[in-house]
Structures are given as C-alpha cells and as structure tokens.
Amino acid sequence: MNCLFCGGDTAVTNSRPQKRTNSVWRRRQCKDCSTIFTSSEALDLSGSIVVLTDYSNASQPFNRDKLFISIYDSLKHRKTATSDATALTDTILRRVASQTTSATLTTATIRTICIQTLEKFDTAASVQYQAFHPLH
C-alpha cells in the first residue's frame, strides 16, 4: 500500500484480525516520510462470487450494498436500525462465505441465510424481510 501523505511504500508494523467485521486491521509506516497510519482490509465478495437469480438464471456479481439495504429495510422499526443492519450484514456475509463451495450462489440461498439470521435476531424483522423476499 502507498503512503497517504507522500505516496511512498509502506510496511506493516502491526496486524490484527477483526472477527466481528471479518476484516484485518493494520498499522502501517511509510518507509519514506515515517508517517504512521491505520488501514482496514475487508473481504470483497463482488469480485469472487456470482449470484444467479431464481427466475431468469441471469448472473450478476454479489453486491454487499444490496444486501445491507434489504436488511436495513427489515429493521426500520428499531431505533438502532443502521448499526444492527451493519452487524447483521457482516454476520450474513460470514455465513455466505463459509457455506459457499463454489464461486456461484443463488438468490434463494442468500434469502434463506438472511431469514435464518433475522429469525434469531428479531422475529418482526424476519417477517418483514420475508414479505418482500419470499422463499418460493
């Protein structure tokens, strides 16, 4: 990674996996200007997983934002909807990544994982999600 300030090469001086967010926290130091800064590296499924739609069998790259919005819409009745949706999206992403044996998923698989996760967290949110994303 390049330095944010001078553009020089950096070296990692400390690194810690973040279990909750499925990311890696890194402390970096520039080799040229000696500036120290922090970076966070997260899994990007959009380049790794292709989603097949149920009806047309068309393929599209996985989209985390689309998942987040659908979860957030189901949690709008909660005061902490944004933070809850962020945490649940990360949980669902971990489950999706662990259950994927190939680079292809169906929307039905993603919906099933979302429903199971929401049922454990908030029954009303699960019902709301299923109203707009039914399992056929």
Side-chain angles (χ1 to χ4, degrees):
M1 179 172 199
N2 293 336
C3 177
L4 300 172
F5 304 99
C6 74
D9 286 336
T10 61
V12 175
T13 59
N14 194 352
S15 182
R16 296 180 189 158
Q18 303 298 303
K19 202 173 198 181
R20 258 188 110 198
T21 60
N22 203 23
S23 63
V24 178
W25 172 92
R26 297 191 195 280
R27 177 79 62 189
R28 297 179 176 275
Q29 184 170 16
C30 179
K31 295 176 182 176
D32 296 337
C33 68
S34 300
T35 303
I36 298 173
F37 61 95
T38 302
S39 67
S40 180
E41 298 172 13
L43 183 64
D44 179 17
L45 296 177
S46 65
S48 307
I49 295 180
V50 173
V51 178
L52 297 175
T53 58
D54 295 335
Y55 305 110
S56 64
N57 217 19
S59 63
Q60 59 188 10
F62 183 86
N63 187 337
R64 183 191 190 283
D65 295 338
K66 217 171 164 180
L67 175 63
F68 172 81
I69 290 168
S70 67
I71 299 299
Y72 175 77
D73 285 343
S74 301
L75 295 168
K76 282 185 178 177
H77 65 280
R78 300 176 63 91
K79 290 181 181 177
T80 56
T82 303
S83 61
D84 291 344
T86 301
L88 284 168
T89 300
D90 290 338
T91 299
I92 291 165
L93 286 175
R94 277 196 303 277
R95 291 188 65 198
V96 164
S98 70
Q99 291 186 10
T100 303
T101 56
S102 68
T104 305
L105 279 175
T106 63
T107 53
T109 302
I110 296 170
R111 279 196 306 271
T112 301
I113 293 170
C114 289
I115 291 167
Q116 290 170 348
T117 305
L118 284 169
E119 282 175 347
K120 291 178 183 177
F121 182 75
D122 185 329
T123 306
S126 174
V127 171
Q128 177 72 16
Y129 182 87
Q130 290 181 63
F132 291 96
H133 308 282
L135 288 175
H136 296 287

